[in-house]
């Protein structure tokens, strides 16, 4: 589910209240969009992500407690239990997959940062075609 058409989505800058630097704010923003849009995420966490992305709630508010913090805790416990029940082979495959994913994410973030840091390319001055009106 995506954000309502008439609803503004916060920017990375808006998330700086909850982040310690611009890179962390960008990661938080991306994570919130993933939570909001992933159909496998519990509905309460999707709702939390929508609330934060709309600016109606901050991550600081979430961390202070309540339903959303409980939903985060429940999800973390499920992940922990699943990890504890893995065979050594499954755990190794998961570690390898997580490492690949981490590298891919770092590469993607580096590309995004390079795009943000790249000086804007000035457009070459090209003469405009002259109007032929009034000419014979």
């Amino acid at each position: 589910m995506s954000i309502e058409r008439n609803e503004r989505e916060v920017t990375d800058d808006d998330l700086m209240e909850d982040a310690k630097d611009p890179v962390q704010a960008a990661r938080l923003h991306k994570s919130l969009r993933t939570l909001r849009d992933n159909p496998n995420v519990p509905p309460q966490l999707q709702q939390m992500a929508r609330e934060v992305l709309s600016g109606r709630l901050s991550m600081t508010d979430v961390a202070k407690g309540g339903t959303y913090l409980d939903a985060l805790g429940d999800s973390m416990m499920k992940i922990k239990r699943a990890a504890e029940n893995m065979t050594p082979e499954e755990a190794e495959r998961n570690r390898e997959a997580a490492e690949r994913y981490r590298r891919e994410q770092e590469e993607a973030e580096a590309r995004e940062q390079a795009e943000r840091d790249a000086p804007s390319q000035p457009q070459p001055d090209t003469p405009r075609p002259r109007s032929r009106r009034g000419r014979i």
Side-chain angles (χ1 to χ4, degrees):
M1 183 182 295
S2 64
I3 200 157
E4 299 289 328
R5 290 178 197 250
N6 60 354
E7 190 170 39
R8 174 188 163 278
E9 182 174 308
V10 297
T11 65
D12 292 357
D13 289 340
D14 295 325
L15 294 171
M16 284 300 295
E17 173 187 324
D18 298 311
K20 64 180 178 188
D21 59 48
V23 172
Q24 190 180 54
R27 285 179 180 163
L28 174 59
H29 198 188
K30 186 175 185 177
S31 296
L32 288 165
R33 288 191 308 261
T34 299
L35 286 173
R36 177 193 65 197
D37 298 337
N38 186 331
N40 297 318
V41 169
Q44 279 186 310
L45 295 183
Q46 287 181 314
Q47 181 62 33
M48 178 206 66
R50 282 192 294 274
E51 293 287 318
V52 175
L53 286 168
S54 71
R56 291 187 296 268
L57 186 69
S58 72
M59 289 305 297
T60 302
D61 295 332
V62 171
K64 288 179 181 174
T67 306
Y68 295 136
L69 187 60
D70 292 343
L72 281 169
D74 290 345
S75 292
M76 295 303 292
M77 287 304 297
K78 287 177 187 175
I79 292 168
K80 181 179 183 223
R81 279 193 297 274
E84 291 170 346
N85 293 324
M86 281 185 198
T87 66
E89 294 81 15
E90 290 172 323
E92 181 59 27
R93 282 194 303 273
N94 261 8
R95 274 192 291 282
E96 290 169 358
E99 181 58 27
R100 272 193 311 277
Y101 179 77
R102 185 191 61 76
R103 279 193 310 271
E104 290 168 1
Q105 292 302 305
E106 285 178 352
E107 290 168 4
E109 286 176 12
R111 284 191 303 274
E112 291 169 5
Q113 186 64 43
E115 288 173 9
R116 284 191 297 271
D117 293 345
S120 59
Q121 299 291 328
Q123 297 299 319
D125 290 333
T126 55
R128 291 183 168 194
R130 294 181 176 214
S131 172
R132 296 195 183 266
R133 271 190 217 158
R135 290 192 170 175
I136 301 178

